[in-house]
Amino acid sequence: MKPLRQRSRLISRSLLSIALTGCLSMAAPAVLAQSTAATIRGQVTVDSAPAGDARVTAINTATGLTRSVAVGANGSYNLAGLPPGTYRLQVEANGQSSSQNVTVAVGQTATLNLGVGGVAETATAGEATNLDAVRVTAPVSVETKTSEVATYVSQRQIQALPQASRNFLAFADTVPGMVFETRSNNTSQLRSGAQSANGVNVFIDGVGQKGYTLAGGISGQTQSQGNPFPQSAIGEYKVITSNYKAEYDQISSAAVTAVTKSGTNEFHGDFFWDQTGTPSWRASTPVEQKQGRKNDSGETQYGATFGGPIISDRLFFFVAYEAKEFQRPRTVRPDSNLNPADLTPELASYLTTASVPFDEDLWFGKLTWQAGDAHLVELTAKLREESELTGIGNGPNTPEYGKTNNNDSRRYDLRYQFSGTNWLNDAHITYEDDTYNPRAISIANGQSILGWTQGPDPTRRGVFLNLGGGSDFQNKGQKGWGFQNDLTFTGWEGHTIKMGFKYKDVELNAFEQQPYNPLFRYDYYANLANGNTQFADMIPYEVQFAPDYAGSRNITSSNKQYGIYIQDDWEVTDRLMLNLGLRYDYETSSSFEDYVTPQGVVDALRGWSNINQPGVDYDYNDYISTGRNRKPFKNAWQPRLGFSYDLTGEQRHVIFGGAGRAYDRNVFDYLALEQSKGAFPSFTYQFNTPNHPCTVGTNNCLAFDPALYNRDNLYALIAGPTRAGAEVDLVRNDLKVPYSDQVSLGIRNVFEMGGNDWNTSAAVAYIESHDGILFTLGNRRADGSYHAPGATFGGAPFDSEFQLPGYGSVILGSNGVETRLSQLLLSLEKPFRADSPWGITMAYTYSDAKENRGNAANSDEHYSFDYPNLDDVAFVRSVGISKHRLVTTGIAEYWGVQFSAKLTLATPPGKEGLNCFTPTGCANGYFETYYFSPSRVRQLDLAVQKEWDTGTDLRLRIRGDVLNVTNDHSFTNYVTDRGDQNGPNPNFGQRSNDEILGNLPRTFKLSFGISW
């Protein structure tokens, strides 16, 4: 194997212009700190009367940041754009003053009524106190009047709850409607509702972290075991599952908005070291139980933070560093339908377990300059470097067939906030450079050994082993700069008006060569039947290769993104709040819009009789691009409306709800396929072998010659750059942007029990997503039909006689995927407080999710070949989604020890299966969704931490986590074919292998830390 990379430690444009101009002119001296800033508002009374001549000042107790606002004639005040934290609120009126402390969370709007001079205050976030008796700590304000379906994840939860990955997004599943998935290969993704992870967006300090080129929603998280951001640099975050306000963009499912830590007027530092995964610290996996021994493994995570003042009350710094060093076992095994005992001893020797490394470095730095009470400047930088060996084991890939992968990210943000008496402007200049480049480890022919590819036993089909050089070679990413400006205006009584715009200029890259090495396929059982028992004597039946012609094959696009919005939080009465918003987004993609379909492909389509028959279900002209007939999608108008009604006027019983539309964006990796398949066309040749006869000299059929193992001889079969016999991908010219329509209704309650306030929420939500991209087969039979005569399902016309003459199969990209989701979302929280040192949360989700995808292996599937399109495909239960899910957490501190727990329970997620148990078999089969009990989720995690104060500024801590205490396993793979016309499948519902979700048996993690 090659060594890992050396690690480093240190509308139309005119319509848009009019809208932008209108927005800016309306905003004149006015605006909001996007996404992460908090707002404190309420009423001020002086001697029991409304205060019309008073002033409220908020002072951050950690940094000295000061914001001041005059009280309106009716006694109202509004302090917007506050960084989350603890503030001392001072009220001054008629020579009198009072103060009170309050803590506000990320993106929160807290209502706090204040009083001066012998009045009984009605503050809901802590009792008002005299100026001379200000407390150091303050209760956290509870936001009940928002119309969003939202929940907060606090710093205490991030620090205290049990966790294996140190991915701060892992705590998002404590929110109803959210799922943080760790897959069997230890990669992770965040998902919400019935949509794929593509619909999620994460905002850090108000800046979106959207992935534009690759799937997965969050940049850098595609097939990654790493973290998108150092957890130690995250202060807290808010999760909004639906009915978000107009300021949130490029999203169709959930929004996560996080705020980073900053330096303060005191120096603080922290160091941590975690060790887990060593064989003696964990139970055996099901695979290890069968083999009778544990594999070598180990996971180490460590890091440090340091921050403090450069100039007291003015200039601060904060830096964070985290590292991961993993060694994880990967077992090479055949596909589930195949019996490894059938392999010859020579080939069975490849069924081993390999230890594969993963390394990650994460850096974050922040400078904060409070130039004055009206000015705040922040400069942040994030650097991420990942190196790993991947694509090995947990399947038929041998170590030599794997790949290296470097996944790097550089992001910078310069932020400037400028505030006036009743307005705040928040501007960002950003730069990003994210790359993802997996490479085959070996430069050699790939050799795929399969079971019966055709013949007497269809139950023994699949891949035994993949040997030699792998198929992957990619260089993908996004790079560019952006500017966004957000404005909040509070000078209009009863209204908080927010508006803003965003512009980004990013270059997207989607270079890909598949397969990178020639791939020879072998029919194992056929070779044995012909007496070829030594692998060197086995004859392949097929080869696939993609010649590397001279010249650049980069697929790049210069994308311009524009977004504008305006929203009004209108306090109609002291009980009724309306949230009225409108957003518009527009994106140009030069690669897609300027692409010209090759003339040879156009001529072949026009002369192809199969698709020029009456009744063919698509018009190929809709897919032919001239370089002038594709336009950016210009209908992304997104109204977002919400309300909340306080039943008692005390913020303890609030009804809330809303409706809105949210547009996401198309993943560039999908759009680039029509070019990448042409830049690196792959060719497939058949060899005339006993079990795979073909006519030599026709339809790419050859007599096998061992000289073809030499790739120069293989490439010589292709007479220079050509697409003859190659796949043709076409994307519809009028491709739309995926979006969701959302509606929700709920009630929040705050009630007292046992001397503590408890917070509850109950909501119902209905979400429909539309226009997800899907790739289907454009091949048709001679009469223009898709299915075989008499069939209504399957039997896709892949054979060469049904392909585009002179080329290969035609793959069509268009809109088509839809989901429907009905949810019941329940939450219960008893907040942790210093005077009541325990807290719990409970999040329950009921999901009735449906989708129209046929043969969807998971929610990210974007290919379907069992139907010509999805127009008449019935909705079925969504795959990968549990109907019932409960996540509950607890934190307590007693006797100087911190205890915490997390329990996750979920019913089996849907698994899609094929039902061919019909009189005509699969010709009239259909897909169903099945639920297999062993795939349910049941995991209990516990943690105990003890901290010692040395009597100086140095504190020591030690912590132990036990993950999956009950050693419960959620198995992932099952036999899902119910049967055919010959009878039911006796193996239906049985486990097909021993892979478990997250690959996490009972595990002990030891942590050590120092704080100062």
Side-chain angles (χ1 to χ4, degrees), residues 492-660:
W492 186 9
E493 189 174 298
H495 296 265
T496 300
I497 299 174
K498 307 175 184 179
M499 62 195 76
F501 70 91
K502 184 181 81 170
Y503 169 77
K504 291 193 80 170
D505 185 349
V506 289
E507 180 180 282
L508 311 181
N509 185 33
F511 174 91
E512 178 176 341
Q513 183 180 357
Q514 301 279 3
Y516 179 62
N517 288 302
L519 179 60
F520 290 84
R521 295 187 175 94
Y522 300 79
D523 190 323
Y524 175 71
Y525 290 115
N527 271 280
L528 290 185
N530 293 311
N532 301 325
T533 59
Q534 297 297 312
F535 182 58
D537 298 328
M538 292 186 179
I539 298 174
Y541 70 88
E542 180 179 275
V543 64
Q544 182 183 8
F545 59 98
D548 184 2
Y549 298 124
S552 173
R553 295 297 183 265
N554 285 335
I555 311 299
T556 61
S557 182
S558 178
N559 281 35
K560 308 281 193 300
Q561 300 175 359
Y562 307 84
I564 56 173
Y565 74 91
I566 184 169
Q567 63 191 42
D568 181 14
D569 292 349
W570 178 17
E571 195 170 5
V572 182
T573 69
D574 60 351
R575 296 190 180 189
L576 176 63
M577 174 76 72
L578 297 181
N579 309 109
L580 313 174
L582 179 65
R583 178 171 194 91
Y584 180 76
D585 289 297
Y586 182 86
E587 180 174 5
T588 67
S589 179
S590 63
S591 177
F592 175 71
E593 295 151 24
D594 299 341
Y595 175 70
V596 178
T597 307
Q599 189 60 46
V601 173
V602 175
D603 293 341
L605 290 169
R606 288 174 176 167
W608 189 15
S609 62
N610 295 35
I611 62 170
N612 286 287
Q613 301 294 324
V616 172
D617 55 288
Y618 74 93
D619 185 350
Y620 64 85
N621 290 296
D622 294 336
Y623 296 83
I624 294 176
S625 177
T626 65
R628 299 182 302 275
N629 60 341
R630 289 181 173 179
K631 305 298 180 185
F633 182 72
K634 60 181 181 182
N635 295 324
W637 292 100
Q638 301 155 77
R640 300 182 188 175
L641 311 174
F643 81 94
S644 66
Y645 185 78
D646 187 347
L647 294 175
T648 64
E650 298 176 344
Q651 301 183 66
R652 300 184 72 85
H653 306 285
V654 178
I655 297 174
F656 65 96

Side-chain angles (χ1 to χ4, degrees), residues 40 44 52 62 157 235 330 383 436 450 460 479 528 537 696 746 776 792 813 849 966:
I40 304 175
V44 175
Q157 289 173 294
R330 294 287 185 266
L383 286 78
Y436 172 82
L450 294 87
R460 290 194 290 172
K479 178 171 66 176
L528 290 185
D537 298 328
V696 175
T776 57
T792 58
T966 60

Side-chain angles (χ1 to χ4, degrees), residues 795-872:
F798 275 108
D799 293 345
S800 58
E801 61 184 297
F802 307 132
Q803 295 176 353
L804 179 64
Y807 295 86
S809 290
V810 173
I811 307 297
L812 304 176
S814 185
N815 303 109
V817 176
E818 298 183 4
T819 66
R820 300 171 182 171
L821 174 70
S822 299
Q823 281 189 318
L824 172 65
L825 309 167
L826 304 177
S827 67
L828 170 70
E829 177 194 23
K830 186 274 174 185
F832 184 101
R833 296 203 322 261
D835 59 344
S836 179
W838 63 277
I840 65 169
T841 69
M842 297 181 67
Y844 168 77
T845 306
Y846 170 79
S847 299
D848 180 9
K850 297 181 176 66
E851 59 190 17
N852 67 340
R853 273 172 290 200
N855 194 21
N858 53 65
S859 61
D860 298 320
E861 183 61 67
H862 54 280
Y863 284 93
S864 178
F865 298 134
D866 290 294
Y867 305 96
N869 53 58
L870 299 185
D871 291 350
D872 299 317

Side-chain angles (χ1 to χ4, degrees), residues 21 37 76 97 149 293 314 349 378 626 679 779 838 859 962 985 990:
T21 303
S76 64
S97 65
V149 182
R293 60 178 176 82
R314 291 300 180 190
S349 66
E378 290 181 339
T626 65
N779 297 358
W838 63 277
S859 61
V962 181
N985 183 353
Q990 295 183 13

Side-chain angles (χ1 to χ4, degrees), residues 122-197:
T122 59
T124 60
E127 296 180 359
T129 64
N130 223 315
L131 186 58
D132 296 328
V134 174
R135 293 171 293 172
V136 176
T137 60
V140 177
S141 176
V142 177
E143 184 178 16
T144 59
K145 296 183 70 173
T146 179
S147 61
E148 298 169 326
V149 182
T151 305
Y152 295 90
V153 177
S154 69
Q155 175 64 202
R156 181 173 292 276
Q157 289 173 294
I158 294 173
Q159 291 180 341
L161 291 179
Q163 183 195 27
S165 68
R166 288 196 63 85
N167 187 331
F168 79 95
L169 295 175
F171 302 106
D173 67 358
T174 63
V175 175
M178 298 298 297
V179 178
F180 181 81
E181 295 178 330
T182 302
R183 292 165 286 202
S184 58
N185 63 355
N186 295 107
T187 63
S188 61
Q189 67 177 8
L190 187 65
R191 189 168 52 79
S192 175
Q195 300 176 63
S196 73

